[in-house]
Each structure stands twice: as C-alpha cells, then as structure tokens.
Amino acid sequence: MALYRKKPIVIRAVQWRGDNLAGVLQALDVSEHAPLSVVGPILTIITLEGAMQCPVGHWVIKGVAGELYPCDPRVFEMTYEAVS
C-alpha cells in the first residue's frame, strides 16, 4: 500500500451560525444562486454526493473546484489552519 500526503492548498471557509447565510455567501464568494438552502438553523448544501446538512457550528468549505461542502468542526480543526 502506498502512502499519500494532501497537497497544501488554501481554501475559503466560514462557520455556519444558523443565521449568517449572507455572510456565508460573501465569505465563500458565491452568488445567491449557490446550491444552498436553509430550514430553521440547518443549512443544506447540494453536493455531487447529494444533499448534505450543515448544522450550526459546522464549517462550509469551498473546495479547489469551487464545490461547497460541510465539515465537522473537529475535522476542520485537525485539517486546516488560518493563513490570514
């Protein structure tokens, strides 16, 4: 079995607070037509893998191909560090 290291990339990410959809759109530099919907405090993101829920406190990440996806805060903390 071969081992691989994740390439160092800079991503855009913002934490979902349950009431900051405009801030999410602005921080991720996406339009209001992005594949996102909000029901109560839950943000739903339509991904290539299907609809994924992003509860309050989770992060919304914009990937290298412009795709959006949620990330658990514990995983985010282990994987990413602030660059600015």
Side-chain angles (χ1 to χ4, degrees), residues 9 18 28 50:
I9 59 165
L28 299 179

Side-chain angles (χ1 to χ4, degrees), residues 28-45:
L28 299 179
D29 194 27
V30 295
S31 77
E32 60 188 34
H33 303 293
L36 305 171
S37 65
V38 178
V39 176
I42 303 295
L43 177 67
T44 300
I45 304 169

Side-chain angles (χ1 to χ4, degrees), residues 14-73:
V14 62
Q15 197 165 32
W16 174 243
R17 293 190 323 257
D19 62 354
N20 60 325
L21 182 60
V24 167
L25 297 174
Q26 182 179 14
L28 299 179
D29 194 27
V30 295
S31 77
E32 60 188 34
H33 303 293
L36 305 171
S37 65
V38 178
V39 176
I42 303 295
L43 177 67
T44 300
I45 304 169
I46 305 304
T47 71
L48 293 175
E49 291 81 27
M52 300 182 80
Q53 291 188 340
C54 183
V56 172
H58 282 55
W59 289 81
V60 183
I61 295 175
K62 184 176 183 181
V64 296
E67 73 281 13
L68 302 178
Y69 58 93
C71 184
D72 181 277

